[in-house]
Short mmCIF file of all heavy atoms in Angstrom, two decimals:
data_model
loop_
_atom_site.label_atom_id
_atom_site.label_comp_id
_atom_site.label_asym_id
_atom_site.label_seq_id
_atom_site.Cartn_x
_atom_site.Cartn_y
_atom_site.Cartn_z
N THR A 376 4.62 44.02 -12.38
CA THR A 376 4.91 42.89 -13.27
C THR A 376 5.37 43.38 -14.64
O THR A 376 6.25 42.79 -15.26
CB THR A 376 3.65 42.00 -13.42
OG1 THR A 376 3.23 41.57 -12.13
CG2 THR A 376 3.94 40.80 -14.28
N ALA A 377 4.78 44.49 -15.11
CA ALA A 377 5.12 45.01 -16.44
C ALA A 377 6.55 45.55 -16.53
O ALA A 377 7.15 45.59 -17.60
CB ALA A 377 4.13 46.11 -16.83
N ARG A 378 7.08 46.00 -15.40
CA ARG A 378 8.46 46.50 -15.32
C ARG A 378 8.71 47.65 -16.31
O ARG A 378 9.78 47.76 -16.92
CB ARG A 378 9.47 45.37 -15.55
CG ARG A 378 9.41 44.29 -14.48
CD ARG A 378 10.46 43.22 -14.67
NE ARG A 378 11.81 43.76 -14.59
CZ ARG A 378 12.45 44.08 -13.46
NH1 ARG A 378 11.84 43.94 -12.29
NH2 ARG A 378 13.67 44.55 -13.48
N THR A 379 7.74 48.51 -16.46
CA THR A 379 7.85 49.66 -17.36
C THR A 379 8.36 50.88 -16.59
O THR A 379 7.94 51.13 -15.47
CB THR A 379 6.46 49.99 -17.96
OG1 THR A 379 5.93 48.82 -18.56
CG2 THR A 379 6.56 51.11 -18.99
N ALA A 380 9.24 51.66 -17.21
CA ALA A 380 9.71 52.90 -16.60
C ALA A 380 8.56 53.90 -16.53
O ALA A 380 7.81 54.05 -17.48
CB ALA A 380 10.87 53.48 -17.40
N LEU A 381 8.43 54.57 -15.38
CA LEU A 381 7.29 55.47 -15.15
C LEU A 381 7.78 56.88 -14.82
O LEU A 381 8.86 57.05 -14.28
CB LEU A 381 6.45 54.94 -13.98
CG LEU A 381 5.84 53.54 -14.18
CD1 LEU A 381 5.27 53.02 -12.87
CD2 LEU A 381 4.79 53.55 -15.28
N ASP A 382 6.96 57.85 -15.14
CA ASP A 382 7.29 59.25 -14.88
C ASP A 382 6.80 59.65 -13.49
O ASP A 382 5.61 59.47 -13.17
CB ASP A 382 6.64 60.13 -15.95
CG ASP A 382 6.86 61.61 -15.68
OD1 ASP A 382 8.02 62.03 -15.69
OD2 ASP A 382 5.86 62.31 -15.42
N ALA A 383 7.69 60.20 -12.67
CA ALA A 383 7.35 60.53 -11.29
C ALA A 383 6.22 61.56 -11.21
O ALA A 383 5.31 61.45 -10.38
CB ALA A 383 8.59 61.06 -10.57
N ALA A 384 6.26 62.56 -12.07
CA ALA A 384 5.24 63.61 -12.03
C ALA A 384 3.86 63.04 -12.39
O ALA A 384 2.84 63.44 -11.82
CB ALA A 384 5.60 64.74 -13.00
N THR A 385 3.83 62.11 -13.33
CA THR A 385 2.56 61.48 -13.71
C THR A 385 2.01 60.65 -12.57
O THR A 385 0.80 60.67 -12.29
CB THR A 385 2.77 60.59 -14.95
OG1 THR A 385 3.31 61.38 -16.01
CG2 THR A 385 1.46 59.97 -15.42
N LEU A 386 2.89 59.93 -11.87
CA LEU A 386 2.45 59.13 -10.74
C LEU A 386 1.87 60.00 -9.62
O LEU A 386 0.91 59.62 -8.96
CB LEU A 386 3.62 58.30 -10.18
CG LEU A 386 4.08 57.09 -11.00
CD1 LEU A 386 5.31 56.47 -10.37
CD2 LEU A 386 2.97 56.05 -11.10
N ALA A 387 2.46 61.16 -9.42
CA ALA A 387 2.02 62.05 -8.34
C ALA A 387 0.70 62.75 -8.64
O ALA A 387 0.04 63.25 -7.73
CB ALA A 387 3.11 63.08 -8.06
N ASP A 388 0.27 62.77 -9.90
CA ASP A 388 -0.91 63.51 -10.32
C ASP A 388 -2.17 62.65 -10.19
O ASP A 388 -2.33 61.67 -10.92
CB ASP A 388 -0.73 63.94 -11.78
CG ASP A 388 -1.88 64.80 -12.28
OD1 ASP A 388 -2.87 64.98 -11.53
OD2 ASP A 388 -1.80 65.26 -13.43
N PRO A 389 -3.08 62.98 -9.26
CA PRO A 389 -4.30 62.17 -9.10
C PRO A 389 -5.19 62.16 -10.33
O PRO A 389 -6.07 61.32 -10.44
CB PRO A 389 -5.00 62.81 -7.90
CG PRO A 389 -4.42 64.16 -7.75
CD PRO A 389 -3.02 64.10 -8.32
N GLY A 390 -4.97 63.10 -11.25
CA GLY A 390 -5.77 63.13 -12.48
C GLY A 390 -5.31 62.15 -13.53
O GLY A 390 -6.00 61.95 -14.55
N GLN A 391 -4.15 61.53 -13.32
CA GLN A 391 -3.60 60.60 -14.31
C GLN A 391 -4.04 59.16 -13.97
O GLN A 391 -3.85 58.68 -12.86
CB GLN A 391 -2.07 60.67 -14.32
CG GLN A 391 -1.51 62.01 -14.76
CD GLN A 391 -1.70 62.24 -16.25
OE1 GLN A 391 -1.83 61.31 -17.03
NE2 GLN A 391 -1.72 63.52 -16.65
N SER A 392 -4.62 58.49 -14.94
CA SER A 392 -5.14 57.14 -14.75
C SER A 392 -4.01 56.10 -14.70
O SER A 392 -3.17 56.07 -15.58
CB SER A 392 -6.12 56.79 -15.88
OG SER A 392 -6.31 55.43 -15.97
#
Side-chain angles (χ1 to χ4, degrees):
T376 303
R378 296 184 62 77
T379 306
L381 300 169
D382 176 63
T385 303
L386 286 175
D388 183 355
Q391 296 288 336
S392 161

